[in-house]
Amino acid sequence: VAMAATRSVMRAVRVFEFGGPEVLKLQSDVLVPVPKENQVLIKVHACGVNPVETYIRSGTYARKPALPYTPGSDVAGVVESVGEHVTAFKKGDRVFTLETLSGGYAEYAVAAANRVFPLPDKLDFRQGAAIGVPYFTAYRALFQKGCAKAGESVLVHGASGGVGLAACQIARACGLKVLGTAGTEEGMNVVLRNGAHQAFNHRDPNYTERIKACTGPGGVDIIIEMLSNVNLDADLQLLACAGRVMVVGCRGRIEINPRDTMSKESSIIGVSLFLATEEERHECATAVLDGIEAGWLKPVVGLEYPLEKVAKAHEDIICSSGARGKMVLLL
């Protein structure tokens, strides 16, 4: 009797318990997922690493996946197969995702077809892995939640990371005056090359005074904030009347004086891509794909790691001295 065909296996990172980077275990005998209806199976060439994935892994984040799980949402690769009712993609298509169902730190990943987008030939897979979460988050922070308008000014705090550079490119393309901060000379140069009109070193003790000198007495209209537990109090001093701080990232608590919001009728607004509606995601996708076509959306890839070094990647994204683009895993 012929044996039933055995399902093939792949290498994938698995998390069996919440904790530090050491809980990321690379396994070589994980079953390749099978796409169900309206799903796509992607052979992964690169996967982005996002700070939020380190928070989820540590167990301190509001969302806790069921254990064991494979982290990762931003993959770029080639369609391997499609489930029933998928007409937008076929085997061999180059694609990138916004999120995966099975986890992106793996050789293959399944994603819902409506979270998969075509990857144009002008971008490589490393760049494709740097689009999803960073650009959708930046667009949501600026326009869907921040109500940015051409002619306004935006300060991007932590502008040399994945979301920061995305925010600089999008804001510049949409007619805003863009200021960015970074922690190194190299980071500042990357920020300037990607849409910022001016860059500031946030390690300089007087950097907020330099920003004030640049914006004048009016202040800045929008602040995109990646490290609100450090900067929020100072941010409130930098805002213009009716200014808003968009909280994209936070790693702890901070004390502020609410009176600072009253004196300018300013707002502190949280941003979570996870809460976007289908319509909002569609709007983000349209803006992102337009940006790629127009040529101003050019993902900057920073540090690259093989799958074996995933624990080091998780350590570096939180502890490194300064970002220079989007961190990716290469398969």
Side-chain angles (χ1 to χ4, degrees), residues 41-240:
L41 178 67
I42 300 162
K43 181 170 180 26
V44 179
H45 285 254
C47 181
V49 180
N50 294 295
V52 69
E53 287 146 24
T54 70
Y55 310 150
I56 294 170
R57 181 216 71 226
S58 69
T60 59
Y61 197 63
R63 277 191 294 134
K64 280 198 183 70
L67 295 167
Y69 77 98
T70 295
S73 55
D74 296 332
V75 310
V78 175
V79 174
E80 179 73 16
S81 61
V82 299
E84 281 184 87
H85 312 310
V86 176
T87 52
F89 301 102
K90 62 184 185 312
K91 183 175 167 70
D93 286 351
R94 286 163 45 93
V95 293
F96 71 93
T97 65
L98 177 59
E99 62 185 78
T100 67
L101 297 163
S102 59
Y105 297 5
E107 290 177 324
Y108 293 89
V110 160
N114 64 355
R115 302 283 192 277
V116 178
F117 306 96
L119 180 65
D121 288 337
K122 64 171 113 172
L123 298 180
D124 63 29
F125 291 119
R126 293 151 53 250
Q127 291 173 303
I131 300 172
V133 168
Y135 282 87
F136 281 60
T137 299
Y139 184 86
R140 181 169 180 76
L142 282 163
F143 297 104
Q144 294 178 339
K145 295 294 164 188
C147 305
K149 293 181 181 61
E152 287 190 315
S153 58
V154 59
L155 169 64
V156 183
H157 244 318
S160 63
V163 177
L165 288 169
C168 290
Q169 290 178 3
I170 294 171
R172 180 65 180 255
C174 295
L176 282 90
K177 180 180 180 182
V178 185
L179 313 176
T181 74
T184 63
E185 197 67 37
E186 191 186 354
M188 287 165 65
N189 289 332
V190 171
V191 169
L192 289 168
R193 285 200 301 273
N194 284 279
H197 292 86
Q198 280 187 271
F200 305 86
N201 190 329
H202 57 66
R203 296 181 198 281
D204 170 356
N206 300 319
Y207 86 97
T208 52
E209 296 311 314
R210 293 177 199 270
I211 292 172
K212 282 180 186 162
C214 175
T215 59
V220 66
D221 297 304
I222 302 172
I223 297 176
I224 307 289
E225 184 52 76
M226 313 301 168
L227 201 58
S228 44
N229 53 300
V230 172
N231 300 320
L232 187 58
D233 188 46
D235 287 344
L236 295 175
Q237 324 297 323
L238 293 172
L239 286 178

Side-chain angles (χ1 to χ4, degrees), residues 11-13 21-22 24-28 105-107 304-314 328-331:
R11 293 189 311 144
V13 174
E22 70 281 354
L24 298 161
K25 305 290 187 200
L26 180 57
Q27 302 204 295
S28 54
Y105 297 5
E107 290 177 324
E304 302 172 5
Y305 299 79
L307 212 47
E308 298 77 44
K309 296 271 167 66
V310 63
K312 180 88 173 91
H314 267 226
V328 296
L329 298 171
L330 297 181
L331 286 98

Side-chain angles (χ1 to χ4, degrees), residues 236-260:
L236 295 175
Q237 324 297 323
L238 293 172
L239 286 178
C241 274
R244 43 270 185 221
V245 180
M246 312 309 302
V247 177
V248 172
C250 181
R251 296 181 189 172
R253 303 175 72 85
I254 186 171
E255 190 172 301
I256 62 166
N257 183 349
R259 186 170 285 149
D260 292 336

